[in-house]
Amino acid sequence: MKKILSVFLGILIMVGTFSSCSKPSSNQGSSDNKSLNKSQIEIIQATNPEKLPQVARDRKDTLIVGTTAPNGTFNPIYSGSLYDSWVCSLIFDGLISNDAEGNPIPNVAEKWDISEDGKTYTFYIKKGIKFHDGKELTAEDVAFTFTAICDPNYDGPRTDAVMYLEGYEEYNKDKENKVKEVKGIKVIDPYTIQFTLTEAQAPAIWNFGYGILPKHYYVFEKGNIKKLKDLFLKPMGSGAYTLKNYKPGAEVVFEKNPNYWKGEPKIKTIVMKVTNANTVVQELTSGNVDIDAVGKPEMVELIKQAGFFNIYSYPSNSYGYIGLNLRDERFKDKRVRQALMYGLDRKGFINAYYKGNGQVCNAPVSPVSWAYTDEINQYEYNPDLANKLLDEAGWVKKEDGFRYKDGKKFIIHWMTYTGSKYVESLIPIVKDNWGKLGIEVVPELMEFGTLVEKVYDKREFEMYNMAWSLSIDPDPSGIFSKAQDVPGGNNSVGWVNEESEKLMKQGLTEFNQEKRKEIYKQWNKLANEELPYLFLSYNKDNVAVSCRVKGVNPSPYIDWTYDIQNVEIVDVK
Amino acid sequence: MRQYITRRLLEMIPVLIGISILIFVIFQLAPGDAVSAIVDPKTSAETKAKLREQLHLNEPILVQYKYWVMDILKGQWGESFYYKQPVSRVINSFIWNSFYLSLASFLLSAILSIPIGVLSATKQYSKFDYIFTIFALIGISMPSFFFGLLLIKWFAVDLKLFPVSGMTNPGSTATGFALFKEVMHHMALPLIVLTLGSLAGLMRYTRSSMLEVIRQDYIRTARAKGLREKVVIYKHALRNALIPVVTIFGMSLPGLFSGAIITEQIFNWPGIGPIELQAVNTRDYPLLMGINMLLALLTLLGNLIADVTYALVDPRIRLK
Amino acid sequence: MQTVRSVEAKIREEKILGPWQLAWIRLKRNKLAMLGLYILIFMVLLSVFGPMISPYNMETLDLSNISAPPSLSHPLGTDEVGRDVLTRVMYAGRISLSVGIVAVLISVLIGSIVGAISGYYGGIIDAVLMRIVDIFMCFPFLPLLLMVAAVMSDYKIHPNYRIYVVMFIIGILSWPGLSRIIRGQILSLREQEFIQAAEALGLRDRRKIFRHLLPNTFSSIIVSATLEVAGAILTESALSYLGLGVTPPTPSWGNMVNAVTDAYVFQFYPWRWVPPGICIFITVMAINLLGDGLRDALDPKLKH
């Protein structure tokens, strides 16, 4: 549902999720919206529930949720896409989960302790949790799950969750099966498990949210991880639903687990049906689908007119930006970056493209995060100031209207990606606005994968634009740290700043959230002043939920799978 | 004839080996790989390096080719990076859906286009001819996306005659004839869109080569002999006019399996078309190479079938 | 003396009415074909001179006037960033017409020559040529195109010049199909009486192929050319997904008509995709009419 940058292919249309992005970790959780900035969530109530089509009324015990096609990697340590992670969160449970504000909360683990030095995590598992086959979930299963990620032949996307476990290297490098276990994973008793890390890191708690695999079902000999892949389509966990049927590219059908430890689910069958952005409005308004994401504001309008949907609209945990290669002499000068920021009518662009469904971004943190601050420079469109800054930086405007420095004309080659309406709207505005400042912009479009290689692996670019989708934890070091300034690393622009390094380190090792908040506020001020990126936009997610469904309240950190056992279908008059 | 076919089949072996090398080398040279396509703040450069090693992406090209060929010989065609499953299994789970749809459209357009083409030719410059010419030209100059949305609007949303998308009803457990009926019901709209697209070409080719043939001397002779017009047209003229049509039929064999990206996408038809595109986006080269090899094989077979059919349509053609 | 002169005059007259002039006369008599020709000329003139006359520039934005319906100041309305659609349609014609025509010329040239040679000689020549065609048809073009796009960007080839490469690529992509169609027909034609007669007369191969065999496949060539013009115009915008087409803000009919991929634009802003769609249709139709007329005009069997 989170279509960060809906990618339209010219003729070969297809809406994918090129999210240059991370997926929010496990998205299930329970708790209420305590301190989440509620003004950010807008709920449009259904105005005419009586217009609910007959097909939907007749579907008494089945919930149909629209989705982009999952890959069929139905295993919490392998699931790559958001849609596979939905499947996993219905079938599996993790040690911890998160609430609507993005705080960790107990799930399979009733509680947990973090040692003084921040390196040892002890989880206490709730007794009596049963897997779908009736066997009890114990610490052994947890240990098995995390050991599987450490396997020498593991090729899934979760390695970063175990890399800091003590003994990971020894276990992972050993292909002769001499090292039998990971030192940092210790089963204390059937209901207690302890993880020891080599470094203390505040966000490390999120590494323990992934669904737990039953050892007796998935067990495999070290190195023979193929067994997990063979069982992708026969997943078994402890979750509220079991997989009943999977038709690749079409649908995933679930049936409730009547013995679910959090209570018997109220809906018998859930179908995740594949939809696409082009026909989602037709699917929703004809009553074929109960819940789906709606991208464009015009479509939200059509759904609103249908009258029988509650629409949840909130900023997504992501932002769009322009990256300048800071190894380039021209962009090393902070004044030039600020001038480009002031000289771009970001608000005009956002209004034209999002039509009220987005807002201007000024720092690399989402407005939904507890680390967000708006006590920062807003960089309102100001061409005069931009011109002044460029003059100061030594870029002189000549008679031809362009700026020159040391005899060189200010031309920016901008590499961007094809098939995106976002880009197609941005290009003319950037060309026009910066052209007025005396800078020539030459846009060049390439296929997304090609662009990614150029930007991250080869780092051959002057300027590009992309988007980041963020994790729950606001730690920015995964993107902006010096350590990431290597080929293949995420700090492709090469922003290295001592002050930033210091603050990020502090933020990582501080476990008190209030204090972290203060640290990230400072860091965001710094990023806002230094502009490692030219920040562009935040977009909103819009989720339509049929008025016959009760208990689904999507918000930035929780989606429809949250507390699914409490979701019910009600009669509509 | 048998000798000819055997020879051609034998010729296919070196050609296929050559194509496999070509495919492999070009994919190696193409920008990006499965690991470079991962951009995620939680995936560090270190993890990427590890993954690259895991997937043998750092090894010399010859070694990688060896791995690939061995996988093909094992019948698995390598493992898809994205699906983490053998390529053969991924292809198998999508390709048949594409095949059913494409085959239906192929049959329908063959059944419609040949008679229309023949009539257009025999009644050249009549109203019938003009209407279908214009119809065909609209068909080729508008993107199929347009027809897809139009049909959904008219027949699915307004008239509610057909479902908006999918191949079966959500959560359906139908089997046998009930399943067949359900699939046909869902197939109707995408079928129309696909047929409109392929109809134009076939129709125009039939018409033009028919026009060509009915001006030939032997047709005049046949008429002069006093044969009935129907016999002249359908028995003598059509046979010879079918040569280009046969060529096109032969060339459409790989198309039956390659999927229709746009149409499958709009109607959420679970075919292989959108999967190919996704594989480009995720740089899932093993999957793409697998699809490419399969289509190469079908292309060769299709061309062979066309060549053999020429001789059946026109006995004067000698195959050597 | 006088008879000699009259014979000379006759010869001269014959010369004036060589096969091409004859065809031209016949073509001129065909009203539909002439209509096609005029439309085509009109489209070319419109796209060459239209943007010069227009008060708008194809790049001028007007963020206060987004997706406005047709009005007096914007006869075809404006697009998603407030640019004048009419100006863009006319400008797009330059790209699309040249892509369509050049690509088809390349494909027809290669396709018909390879097909004719292969079909006429048969045997080993046929086997070799057709295996080359097979390999072309199996060629993994997708990664190749990605590669070409990346290489062009490595060498910083200006986006505006890449379109020439695109024309060439589309032409190269589509000739194998045509060559198989032509070959198939020639296989059948060369067994017919008139070629046997030509054989008996001892005509040279080149003459037989280009004067006698190929003209008889002209109708297939015309059909394939008409289909391909439309195909090439639409393929250009598909290639831009791979980073090979024109670069926005430069418009082409293909990428303009693709505004229809947005369901909302499809339903509520028809002025953004109907005009380029009609332009493609009209162009294809004009080429089709002209092609049909040409075929009739060039038909050696037709009595006049």
Side-chain angles (χ1 to χ4, degrees):
Chain A
M1 270 199 221
K2 290 201 174 125
K3 289 179 179 135
I4 310 296
L5 305 163
S6 291
V7 174
F8 279 83
L9 282 188
I11 274 197
L12 317 161
I13 63 94
M14 161 158 215
V15 180
T17 40
F18 281 170
S19 26
S20 35
C21 67
S22 74
K23 316 294 182 298
S25 56
S26 56
N27 263 358
Q28 65 267 58
S30 73
S31 180
D32 50 352
N33 299 5
K34 266 181 301 191
S35 65
L36 181 78
N37 192 350
K38 276 199 177 162
S39 63
Q40 300 281 4
I41 302 178
E42 193 191 341
I43 303 172
I44 304 162
Q45 295 289 347
T47 47
N48 300 82
E50 74 281 356
K51 276 166 110 184
L52 184 71
Q54 199 57 41
V55 260
R57 285 169 199 270
D58 294 343
R59 210 165 47 226
K60 292 249 181 271
D61 56 358
T62 303
L63 177 72
I64 301 186
V65 183
T67 176
T68 296
N71 329 342
T73 45
F74 300 153
N75 183 315
I77 70 168
Y78 266 104
S79 63
S81 76
L82 176 65
Y83 318 102
D84 288 270
S85 74
W86 286 349
V87 173
C88 291
S89 54
L90 290 182
I91 299 174
F92 297 90
D93 285 314
L95 283 173
I96 61 147
S97 169
N98 64 271
D99 62 12
E101 301 157 56
N103 297 313
I105 53 162
N107 197 33
V108 164
E110 286 177 303
K111 60 181 173 122
W112 64 90
D113 293 330
I114 303 173
S115 66
E116 276 299 301
D117 63 359
K119 289 184 181 172
T120 308
Y121 287 71
T122 314
F123 292 90
Y124 303 95
I125 296 164
K126 195 178 157 73
K127 288 180 186 167
I129 296 176
K130 299 266 167 56
F131 287 113
H132 295 153
D133 62 355
K135 291 231 170 79
E136 191 172 12
L137 187 158
T138 67
E140 284 295 337
D141 299 303
V142 181
F144 166 75
T145 307
F146 284 86
T147 310
I149 309 179
C150 301
D151 194 272
N153 287 331
Y154 174 72
D155 57 352
R158 302 275 179 269
T159 302
D160 285 70
V162 296
M163 256 165 74
Y164 295 104
L165 280 179
E166 216 165 79
Y168 166 74
E169 286 295 323
E170 289 85 334
Y171 184 82
N172 183 263
K173 289 267 151 59
D174 160 59
K175 300 219 173 187
E176 279 100 52
N177 206 354
K178 281 186 204 135
V179 185
K180 300 281 182 211
E181 52 197 24
V182 182
K183 237 168 76 196
I185 304 177
K186 213 191 290 167
V187 176
I188 308 280
D189 66 49
Y191 303 104
T192 315
I193 186 157
Q194 201 173 61
F195 295 95
T196 317
L197 308 182
T198 52
E199 270 174 48
Q201 288 191 338
I205 184 70
W206 297 113
N207 294 338
F208 303 107
Y210 302 117
I212 297 161
L213 305 170
K215 183 179 179 179
H216 63 272
Y217 181 70
Y218 283 100
V219 70
F220 64 92
E221 204 157 303
K222 183 176 174 185
N224 188 20
I225 200 148
K226 197 175 157 291
K227 169 132 186 228
L228 291 190
K229 298 181 186 175
D230 292 339
L231 289 172
F232 276 167
L233 300 186
K234 294 181 198 115
M236 184 172 79
S238 58
Y241 283 82
T242 57
L243 182 74
K244 190 178 160 203
N245 193 4
Y246 166 58
K247 290 184 192 154
E251 63 182 22
V252 192
V253 184
F254 302 91
E255 198 149 58
K256 72 175 175 186
N257 166 14
N259 305 315
Y260 188 48
W261 59 280
K262 285 188 201 164
E264 184 177 346
K266 294 184 170 135
I267 298 173
K268 187 167 160 268
T269 312
I270 294 180
V271 179
M272 272 171 63
K273 176 181 164 31
V274 175
T275 58
N276 66 60
N278 308 302
T279 55
V280 63
V281 172
Q282 286 88 324
E283 297 272 20
L284 283 167
T285 52
S286 58
N288 294 338
V289 173
D290 295 312
I291 301 175
D292 208 335
V294 189
K296 301 203 77 180
E298 293 96 336
M299 297 191 178
V300 174
E301 196 51 42
L302 292 177
I303 302 289
K304 221 190 281 179
Q305 282 163 18
F308 54 93
F309 284 98
N310 299 321
I311 302 167
Y312 296 78
S313 181
Y314 46 84
S316 73
N317 192 16
S318 63
Y319 65 90
Y321 67 91
I322 288 177
L324 297 167
N325 197 332
L326 304 185
R327 298 166 197 92
D328 187 318
E329 280 307 319
R330 298 172 296 173
F331 303 129
K332 269 190 182 147
D333 191 332
K334 190 166 89 184
R335 287 168 300 188
V336 172
R337 305 200 296 268
Q338 289 177 337
L340 293 175
M341 193 80 158
Y342 279 120
L344 181 60
D345 185 5
R346 295 176 298 154
K347 196 153 200 171
F349 160 66
I350 287 162
N351 288 342
Y353 179 74
Y354 287 116
K355 301 183 181 67
N357 210 29
Q359 45 186 310
V360 175
C361 167
N362 290 304
V365 58
S366 162
V368 298
S369 171
W370 50 259
Y372 179 76
T373 172
D374 49 13
E375 296 161 29
I376 45 175
N377 189 349
Q378 301 296 315
Y379 290 102
E380 303 270 358
Y381 183 46
N382 189 341
D384 296 338
L385 186 50
N387 276 317
K388 210 178 115 226
L389 282 163
L390 285 170
D391 288 340
E392 276 173 24
W395 289 95
V396 190
K397 212 173 208 172
K398 291 210 176 144
E399 307 80 54
D400 63 355
F402 289 107
R403 287 182 182 272
Y404 290 83
K405 186 177 179 179
D406 307 329
K408 270 183 152 174
K409 193 175 164 188
F410 206 148
I411 302 180
I412 304 178
H413 286 269
W414 171 16
M415 292 200 241
T416 180
Y417 49 94
T418 57
S420 154
K421 301 275 175 198
Y422 181 93
V423 167
E424 279 166 32
S425 301
L426 186 60
I427 289 175
I429 293 170
V430 170
K431 267 190 96 158
D432 177 271
N433 287 182
W434 290 357
K436 283 180 192 151
L437 300 180
I439 301 167
E440 189 183 344
V441 181
V442 182
E444 183 191 328
L445 280 84
M446 51 188 84
E447 189 270 336
F448 191 75
T450 309
L451 177 65
V452 164
E453 194 198 26
K454 282 199 187 250
V455 168
Y456 290 98
D457 291 339
K458 296 189 177 156
R459 303 192 290 177
E460 289 165 0
F461 63 94
E462 291 177 18
M463 168 173 146
Y464 72 96
N465 74 292
M466 273 189 202
W468 282 116
S469 157
L470 303 168
S471 333
I472 294 184
D473 194 275
D475 163 42
S477 66
I479 299 172
F480 292 106
S481 70
K482 201 172 157 185
Q484 286 295 322
D485 181 14
V486 289
N490 290 324
N491 190 355
S492 59
V493 293
W495 187 55
V496 180
N497 180 301
E498 288 311 315
E499 176 73 12
S500 151
E501 290 294 314
K502 213 180 84 202
L503 285 170
M504 286 193 291
K505 181 126 208 202
Q506 275 178 20
L508 270 178
T509 44
E510 176 60 65
F511 282 72
N512 178 313
Q513 186 162 317
E514 278 312 306
K515 287 186 188 156
R516 282 188 88 196
K517 193 170 174 174
E518 206 41 53
I519 294 166
Y520 287 130
K521 200 167 171 179
Q522 276 185 49
W523 185 85
N524 279 315
K525 272 187 182 161
L526 179 74
N528 172 263
E529 165 73 18
E530 290 290 327
L531 297 177
Y533 289 158
L534 305 182
F535 306 109
L536 289 177
S537 58
Y538 296 122
N539 72 314
K540 276 186 180 174
D541 285 340
N542 305 297
V543 181
V545 179
S546 168
C547 61
R548 77 189 193 103
V549 181
K550 285 278 168 300
V552 171
N553 297 296
S555 65
Y557 296 126
I558 56 177
D559 50 43
W560 63 273
T561 59
Y562 151 88
D563 260 1
I564 191 74
Q565 74 280 0
N566 294 335
V567 175
E568 57 184 323
I569 291 172
V570 294
D571 280 327
V572 178
K573 55 175 181 342
Chain B
M1 179 69 99
R2 183 172 297 161
Q3 204 187 351
Y4 174 80
I5 295 176
T6 324
R7 205 197 72 217
R8 282 289 298 272
L9 285 173
L10 286 176
E11 268 176 23
M12 266 164 68
I13 297 169
V15 173
L16 272 176
I17 292 174
I19 288 171
S20 84
I21 295 173
L22 199 69
I23 287 177
F24 192 81
V25 170
I26 293 207
F27 271 99
Q28 286 288 315
L29 295 174
D33 62 31
V35 177
S36 77
I38 303 171
V39 189
D40 181 334
K42 284 196 290 181
T43 307
S44 56
E46 215 181 330
T47 312
K48 284 190 189 172
K50 187 166 275 169
L51 213 54
R52 231 177 224 124
E53 196 182 315
Q54 194 72 259
L55 300 171
H56 305 296
L57 294 177
N58 289 330
E59 290 179 44
I61 181 163
L62 268 175
V63 179
Q64 290 193 49
Y65 181 69
K66 195 189 79 190
Y67 282 131
W68 187 53
V69 172
M70 302 240 290
D71 276 334
I72 290 182
L73 294 179
K74 269 189 245 158
Q76 301 214 325
W77 304 62
E79 188 181 276
S80 155
F81 292 149
Y82 185 65
Y83 290 90
K84 305 276 176 211
Q85 295 286 318
V87 166
S88 54
R89 198 182 299 169
V90 177
I91 293 180
N92 194 40
S93 58
F94 293 102
I95 206 162
W96 297 107
N97 297 335
S98 285
F99 177 71
Y100 300 142
L101 180 60
S102 306
L103 182 71
S105 146
F106 174 80
L107 294 177
L108 190 63
S109 54
I111 292 169
L112 289 175
S113 62
I114 294 175
I116 295 177
V118 170
L119 276 176
S120 273
T122 48
K123 297 182 184 167
Q124 195 189 9
Y125 301 134
S126 69
K127 257 191 204 135
F128 180 90
D129 183 28
Y130 282 130
I131 288 172
F132 279 96
T133 301
I134 289 177
F135 181 74
L137 296 184
I138 293 178
I140 57 170
S141 49
M142 290 311 280
S144 54
F145 194 90
F146 164 80
F147 291 117
L149 285 180
L150 203 65
L151 292 182
I152 289 177
K153 169 120 189 40
W154 287 346
F155 294 104
V157 177
D158 295 346
L159 296 174
K160 296 196 188 335
L161 284 176
F162 296 103
V164 177
S165 74
M167 190 170 156
T168 51
N169 295 331
S172 158
T173 49
T175 49
F177 185 67
L179 177 65
F180 177 76
K181 247 174 65 183
E182 209 176 293
V183 171
M184 290 314 278
H185 190 217
H186 283 77
M187 193 191 273
L189 297 185
L191 178 63
I192 296 174
V193 172
L194 271 189
T195 310
L196 264 177
S198 55
L199 197 58
L202 276 178
M203 210 158 91
R204 300 298 294 167
Y205 275 113
T206 312
R207 175 181 178 274
S208 70
S209 66
M210 196 68 195
L211 276 176
E212 206 65 57
V213 171
I214 50 183
R215 286 175 194 161
Q216 302 269 1
D217 299 333
Y218 68 90
I219 295 298
R220 223 167 289 152
T221 320
R223 283 208 183 107
K225 274 199 299 191
L227 289 178
R228 273 186 304 135
E229 187 65 15
K230 265 208 177 122
V231 178
V232 174
I233 296 296
Y234 287 97
K235 200 152 173 211
H236 296 263
L238 183 58
R239 248 184 114 113
N240 280 290
L242 277 181
I243 297 264
V245 178
V246 165
T247 316
I248 293 175
F249 280 176
M251 288 193 290
S252 16
L253 183 68
L256 292 182
F257 292 88
S258 67
I261 296 178
I262 308 163
T263 312
E264 290 177 355
Q265 166 70 21
I266 310 171
F267 290 98
N268 293 321
W269 190 264
I272 198 146
I275 305 301
E276 287 163 42
L277 211 55
Q278 190 182 41
V280 174
N281 299 339
T282 55
R283 292 293 188 266
D284 193 346
Y285 287 159
L287 180 55
L288 279 176
M289 290 195 295
I291 296 175
N292 247 309
M293 271 313 282
L294 181 69
L295 294 183
L297 178 69
L298 290 166
T299 308
L300 299 184
L301 281 177
N303 287 350
L304 172 59
I305 293 172
D307 283 349
V308 173
T309 318
Y310 290 154
L312 299 179
V313 171
D314 184 351
R316 284 172 306 187
I317 293 178
R318 293 157 293 162
L319 296 171
K320 328 171 228 202
Chain C
M1 203 60 194
Q2 199 162 9
T3 44
V4 174
R5 204 172 288 150
S6 76
V7 168
E8 257 177 16
K10 247 183 195 158
I11 290 168
R12 217 174 292 134
E13 210 181 279
E14 281 281 86
K15 257 194 185 144
I16 293 164
L17 287 179
W20 291 107
Q21 279 100 337
L22 259 176
W24 175 234
I25 289 170
R26 274 192 237 150
L27 189 66
K28 271 203 291 194
R29 276 197 221 123
N30 187 333
K31 278 188 202 132
L32 278 173
M34 290 316 282
L35 180 68
L37 185 65
Y38 293 142
I39 293 177
L40 211 56
I41 292 172
F42 174 74
M43 295 304 281
V44 171
L45 292 180
L46 191 71
S47 54
V48 172
F49 297 107
M52 296 179 191
I53 302 165
S54 162
Y56 302 97
N57 182 302
M58 63 132 186
E59 289 191 33
T60 317
L61 331 171
D62 181 359
L63 291 182
S64 59
N65 199 14
I66 295 166
S67 295
S71 62
L72 274 180
S73 54
H74 295 283
L76 294 178
T78 63
D79 70 1
E80 76 274 16
V81 282
R83 295 171 295 197
D84 182 55
V85 173
L86 176 61
T87 311
R88 287 176 68 75
V89 166
M90 294 190 294
Y91 194 92
R94 295 183 186 182
I95 307 280
S96 293
L97 282 172
S98 44
V99 167
I101 292 168
V102 173
V104 167
L105 284 180
I106 294 177
S107 135
V108 163
L109 212 66
I110 307 181
S112 52
I113 292 177
V114 170
I117 292 177
S118 184
Y120 176 75
Y121 288 105
I124 189 86
I125 294 178
D126 178 45
V128 170
L129 284 177
M130 283 303 112
R131 290 308 79 75
I132 293 174
V133 166
D134 279 348
I135 289 174
F136 253 89
M137 287 172 119
C138 302
F139 208 81
F141 277 102
L142 210 61
L144 184 76
L145 296 178
L146 287 175
M147 218 164 78
V148 172
V151 167
M152 285 202 291
S153 110
D154 286 344
Y155 287 97
K156 293 227 174 348
I157 296 174
H158 195 276
N160 287 356
Y161 298 120
R162 292 187 192 170
I163 195 67
Y164 299 110
V165 179
V166 171
M167 294 175 191
F168 185 71
I169 288 174
I170 298 177
I172 289 292
L173 273 174
S174 43
W175 71 265
L178 179 64
S179 79
R180 277 198 59 85
I181 291 173
I182 301 298
R183 165 184 173 267
Q185 280 190 295
I186 297 226
L187 278 180
S188 159
L189 285 170
R190 74 162 177 206
E191 306 299 336
Q192 290 193 9
E193 296 82 357
F194 69 95
I195 289 299
Q196 277 153 9
E199 205 117 350
L201 283 173
L203 292 182
R204 271 177 305 148
D205 287 352
R206 214 172 65 193
R207 202 178 159 82
K208 273 186 280 183
I209 294 174
F210 292 103
R211 283 291 170 85
H212 298 277
L213 286 171
L214 264 183
N216 277 295
T217 61
F218 208 71
S219 54
S220 292
I221 295 178
I222 292 288
V223 171
S224 117
T226 357
L227 295 174
E228 271 172 29
V229 167
I233 290 174
L234 295 176
T235 308
E236 178 272 316
S237 67
L239 286 184
S240 56
Y241 179 73
L242 301 175
L244 274 172
V246 294
T247 311
T250 309
S252 74
W253 287 341
N255 61 32
M256 287 184 83
V257 83
N258 268 322
V260 74
T261 53
D262 182 328
Y264 196 85
V265 173
F266 167 72
Q267 203 167 347
F268 296 99
Y269 304 141
W271 58 88
R272 276 171 51 187
W273 57 268
V274 170
I278 290 181
C279 285
I280 300 177
F281 170 68
I282 289 183
T283 306
V284 173
M285 174 125 107
I287 290 177
N288 189 67
L289 291 176
L290 182 63
D292 274 356
L294 265 181
R295 203 244 355 265
D296 288 347
L298 291 176
D299 191 345
K301 292 186 288 290
L302 221 60
K303 304 277 183 304
H304 51 278

